[in-house]
Amino acid sequence: MGFRFLTLIRPFMAIIPEVAAPDRKVAFNQKVLWTVITLLIFLVLSQVPLYGIMSSDSSDPLYWMRVILASNRGTLMEFGITPIITSGMIMQLLAGAQIISVDYSLREDRALFSGAQKLFAMLITFGSATVAVMTGQYGDPKSLGAGICLLLIIQLFVAGVIVILLDEMLQKGYGLGSGINLFIATNICEDIVWKSLSPLTVNTGKGPEFEGAIIAFFHLLFVRSNKFKAVFEALTRSPQPNLTNLVATALVFAVVIYLQGFRVEIPIKSARFRGHRASYPIKLFYTSNMPIMLQSALASNVFMISQLLYRRFPDNLLVKLFGVWEPYQGSSQFFPTSGLTYYMTPPRSFVSTAKDPIHFVFYVAYMLTACAVLSRAWLDISGSGPRDVARELRDQQTVIAGYRDTTMYKELKRIIPTAATVGGVIIGILSISADLLGAIGSGTGILLAVTIIYNYFETFAKEQAELGALGVGGM
């Protein structure tokens, strides 16, 4: 059944756009250049508004996940990387659960599996664009007309295909890392920098104030006669970003970077060369940022479906149990006030936690469970579980020091699942803590940004080490 499914993808391979793999190793400076070009294209797409929209003031179904999903409402980056993540998650889950059979040792199977992911991502993009336009996110479809509706769908679909190809280009070795990680980190860092240094002014009733937390701090010191009150206001003002939010953001960054260094070094030795020893590191964050990324994609889809259902069937009991959505403080943006989705959203502050402790308890339980389970499940889905690592070491003719080839799997099974589960729980705790402290960009966003930036730092260090080794070898 699995191979029959992949065979069904074969006729579409000729029409699915593809980036050809490089025929030789791409130089480091060229990788940097292509990465920068990819980033510039993404930033341009994030600022180009959709042509033909009448209004985008209606409630945003992806409001909670915009920064994390690298999307920007009303622009060509309306869906960001959502289709890629959703498609990849579905295909990996199907393959991991062996619902579809994929032999990664076969080049054809790898190509078909990759093609299936791209095809599903394109279908999700088209479907999401159609739903967004026809449900009136950009204005009443009858007022827009069939031509404008079709034009909006085409714009969103073409932009989505461009993002898919940019991600594929980086993953095939033309650039550094992946497009998904690059776009997420850029979007989150852009949000943090903007809320820290934004020169826009807002009227809060006490006179005009700057939106950026740092600029507002110096502005308040300059215009307020009582300097102590100015500092206190800069630290606690709301709803605009304040210095406390900025300090909380820096604190979370520091804690995550510190925890990145925690690892277990497993001593290994070569079965071929006597005396050759090394170590195999098992990081605390063994599955990196995948638990929080998968949890974000899951929550994003649940929020979008719940809000669309509530708009359509507001009196249905099952829909209400799924989530009741109401506008918040007179704004056009809807927030869940009860139901399943309400308990999947983080409390806005310590005050909100004190007012509704049951919400906080359920949210903590949901986050920790989701991160732990997804982190553990990702081992089997991604092929990084203890059995896969044991096979990899065996293929390299290396064994764990003090263990036989047949007992090596048991030792890895004791360490790797524990690291994945504990790492997932810690990521969940950090995300919850960052949300409660009011960190800029949300707890989930900051965790993603830090882990991605740290991975890029390791990639740069590895590339530089390889360049240094080549230089020494050439001498």
Side-chain angles (χ1 to χ4, degrees):
M1 181 178 178
F3 281 99
R4 185 162 60 249
F5 171 79
L6 288 181
T7 304
L8 293 175
I9 304 298
R10 188 177 289 117
F12 298 96
M13 294 298 289
I15 60 174
I16 296 175
E18 182 182 11
V19 176
D23 53 3
R24 61 182 182 276
K25 184 175 174 60
V26 180
F28 178 69
N29 57 348
Q30 289 184 338
K31 285 186 177 182
V32 173
L33 176 62
W34 281 113
T35 304
V36 171
I37 291 173
T38 301
L39 182 57
L40 289 176
I41 294 173
F42 166 73
L43 291 174
V44 169
L45 292 175
S46 298
Q47 299 302 320
V48 176
L50 289 167
Y51 176 79
I53 60 176
M54 293 180 62
S55 172
S56 58
D57 294 333
S58 59
S59 181
D60 183 7
L62 296 178
Y63 171 82
W64 300 96
M65 304 294 167
R66 284 288 176 191
V67 174
I68 301 166
L69 298 175
S71 63
N72 192 8
R73 193 174 192 202
T75 70
L76 293 173
M77 280 290 95
E78 177 71 48
F79 302 122
I81 59 171
T82 308
I84 302 176
I85 291 180
T86 305
S87 171
M89 183 170 62
I90 291 172
M91 290 300 297
Q92 292 284 0
L93 286 172
L94 291 175
Q98 296 183 349
I99 296 174
I100 61 173
S101 301
V102 185
D103 187 351
Y104 292 103
S105 64
L106 296 176
R107 183 176 180 180
E108 184 184 18
D109 267 28
R110 293 198 304 269
L112 289 174
F113 187 74
S114 175
Q117 283 185 307
K118 280 193 291 183
L119 179 61
F120 281 138
M122 292 166 65
L123 291 175
I124 291 169
T125 302
F126 180 78
S128 300
T130 304
V131 170
V133 172
M134 300 313 294
T135 53
Q137 286 193 33
Y138 309 114
D140 184 10
K142 293 181 180 179
S143 302
L144 289 172
I148 295 297
C149 287
L150 180 61
L151 182 60
L152 286 170
I153 293 172
I154 291 173
Q155 291 178 80
L156 291 169
F157 178 72
V158 172
V161 172
I162 291 174
V163 171
I164 293 169
L165 293 177
L166 290 174
D167 176 59
E168 183 182 8
M169 182 181 71
L170 294 187
Q171 290 206 41
K172 284 194 171 179
Y174 288 99
L176 300 169
S178 69
I180 292 176
N181 285 342
L182 180 66
F183 301 153
I184 290 175
T186 301
N187 219 36
I188 295 168
C189 291
E190 180 186 6
D191 185 58
I192 293 172
V193 171
W194 179 257
K195 289 183 178 179
S196 302
L197 302 171
S198 170
L200 296 181
T201 56
V202 291
N203 194 344
T204 60
K206 303 177 183 178
E209 289 184 10
F210 285 98
E211 183 182 8
I214 295 175
I215 296 180
F217 169 66
F218 289 105
H219 175 253
L220 290 170
L221 280 178
F222 182 76
V223 299
R224 297 284 194 268
S225 56
N226 190 324
K227 304 305 178 186
F228 289 104
K229 285 187 177 180
V231 172
F232 180 77
E233 186 175 348
L235 287 169
T236 60
R237 68 178 190 151
S238 180
Q240 303 304 323
N242 57 52
L243 287 182
T244 303
N245 302 144
L246 201 59
V247 171
T249 304
L251 178 63
V252 175
F253 261 83
V255 170
V256 175
I257 291 173
Y258 174 71
L259 291 176
Q260 287 280 1
F262 280 68
R263 65 186 66 194
V264 175
E265 300 283 353
I266 300 178
I268 58 176
K269 63 180 182 179
S270 174
R272 286 190 299 174
F273 305 104
R274 186 181 299 275
H276 181 73
R277 292 178 175 268
S279 62
Y280 190 90
I282 305 294
K283 294 183 178 180
L284 175 62
F285 295 148
Y286 184 74
T287 52
S288 188
N289 55 20
M290 285 311 301
I292 206 72
M293 189 178 289
L294 293 173
Q295 182 272 329
S296 300
L298 171 67
S300 171
N301 285 285
V302 169
F303 292 160
M304 182 171 64
I305 293 169
S306 174
Q307 193 171 162
L308 292 175
L309 285 174
Y310 186 74
R311 279 188 192 175
R312 183 70 174 168
F313 310 104
D315 298 322
N316 187 286
L317 178 61
L318 291 177
V319 171
K320 286 184 176 180
L321 290 174
F322 196 18
V324 174
W325 296 76
E326 302 292 343
Y328 179 67
Q329 294 183 349
S331 67
S332 61
Q333 179 59 46
F334 279 59
F335 288 77
T337 56
S338 65
L340 174 65
T341 53
Y342 172 68
Y343 293 101
M344 291 176 65
T345 55
R348 295 188 181 91
S349 63
F350 282 108
V351 176
S352 301
T353 301
K355 287 182 178 179
D356 191 354
I358 296 177
H359 174 205
F360 174 71
V361 170
F362 271 92
Y363 175 71
V364 170
Y366 153 70
M367 278 294 293
L368 298 186
T369 304
C371 288
V373 171
L374 290 171
S375 181
R376 180 65 181 82
W378 187 251
L379 294 179
D380 300 322
I381 295 171
S382 63
S384 57
R387 194 178 299 278
D388 302 290
V389 174
R391 186 185 304 115
E392 179 187 342
L393 293 175
R394 197 176 296 114
D395 292 342
Q396 296 173 357
Q397 296 189 9
T398 55
V399 295
I400 298 177
Y403 290 85
R404 296 179 180 178
D405 183 52
T406 53
T407 60
M408 185 166 56
Y409 164 70
K410 293 182 179 179
E411 176 65 8
L412 292 171
K413 188 179 180 181
R414 184 180 68 85
I415 298 174
I416 291 179
T418 303
T421 304
V422 173
V425 170
I426 291 176
I427 283 179
I429 292 172
L430 288 171
S431 177
I432 295 167
S433 302
D435 283 325
L436 289 178
L437 292 171
I440 298 173
S442 81
T444 302
I446 293 170
L447 286 173
L448 286 173
V450 177
T451 51
I452 290 169
I453 292 170
Y454 190 85
N455 288 339
Y456 265 104
F457 171 77
E458 289 185 328
T459 302
F460 270 99
K462 182 180 178 181
E463 292 279 355
Q464 291 296 330
E466 289 180 359
L467 285 175
L470 287 175
V472 172
M475 293 175 63

